Amino acid sequence: EPEVTQTPSHQVTQMGQEVILRCVPISNHLYFYWYRQILGQKVEFLVSFYNNEISEKSEIFDDQFSVERPDGSNFTLKIRSTKLEDSAMYFCASFYRPNTGELFFGEGSRLTVL
Amino acid sequence: GESVGLHLPTLSVQEGDNSIINCAYSNSASDYFIWYKQESGKGPQFIIDIRSNMDKRQGQRVTVLLNKTVKHLSLQIAATQPGDSAVYFCAGIRGGYNKLIFGAGTRLAVHP
């Protein structure tokens, strides 16, 4: 069964460092997302990406965040200068077409900022 | 603004019983409502969705009920099994780019 894969599964970084989280969405999917989940809290929308551009972003997704689909298969989330409060689980999701509810989520990348 | 919230943070049930997980929403503009299951250390997994013009939808062992009058959504799990133990999130979605707004989640604990 096709799946969304994410790397790394866990990254520990120092405050102020840049972090890149990588995702390989399901191959025929056209819509891509990043969500995050702070420990014990709900899943929060960060950004959606379609047709090689951001289609929507949340208030969380400030200038420190960026996304890219550099090669047609990978979908990356970059945090330029990490803060302690960026510590969370980051989930990538993909979707073939809208107007159904089924997004496919990866297993997540846990980011710990020290 | 949009919000989707859960009534109870934890639900404990006996194996074999039916479970009902509830959710309230505030934004009537959602086109779809969805239930996701999240097991420990994993990403959310789609369970079932329901269009906003429907009242009920059944899947395998699960039923989702939508009451638009009181803006309430529920997930019923029949014959709950230990493998159903997880956090369950409801989410609302509006067309376009499928941005999901998740509720806070209900932890379902199934006891033998």
Side-chain angles (χ1 to χ4, degrees), chain B residues 87-100:
Chain B
V87 176
Y88 289 80
F89 293 96
C90 63
I93 195 168
R94 196 157 45 191
Y97 299 106
N98 268 31
K99 170 185 170 184
L100 291 177

Side-chain angles (χ1 to χ4, degrees), chain A residues 52-68:
Chain A
N52 286 320
E53 61 183 21
I54 291 173
S55 47
E56 190 170 0
K57 59 184 180 180
S58 71
E59 293 176 352
I60 303 168
F61 195 89
D62 61 22
D63 292 344
Q64 293 301 310
F65 290 86
S66 62
V67 289
E68 198 175 40

Side-chain angles (χ1 to χ4, degrees), chain A residues 31 33 35 37 41-45 48 50 55-56 89 91 95 97-103 105-107, chain B residues 4 31-32 34 36 38 41-46 49 51 89 93 95-104:
Chain A
Y31 300 80
Y33 308 82
Y35 285 79
Q37 186 178 32
Q41 299 186 21
K42 65 182 180 182
V43 179
E44 300 175 288
F45 170 79
S48 59
Y50 171 71
S55 47
E56 190 170 0
M89 193 74 135
F91 292 106
F95 193 65
R97 66 179 187 277
N99 297 325
T100 73
E102 188 170 8
L103 268 66
F105 283 84
E107 297 279 279
Chain B
V4 184
D31 297 321
Y32 280 85
I34 311 103
Y36 278 85
Q38 187 177 27
K42 295 190 175 182
Q45 180 184 10
F46 173 87
D49 63 1
R51 291 183 67 108
F89 293 96
I93 195 168
Y97 299 106
N98 268 31
K99 170 185 170 184
L100 291 177
I101 304 297
F102 283 90

Side-chain angles (χ1 to χ4, degrees), chain B residues 51-69:
Chain B
R51 291 183 67 108
S52 59
N53 62 356
M54 298 172 64
D55 298 320
K56 180 179 180 178
R57 190 171 185 213
Q58 286 185 293
Q60 188 176 16
R61 277 202 310 119
V62 295
T63 301
V64 56
L65 298 177
L66 176 62
N67 185 331
K68 293 180 287 292
T69 302

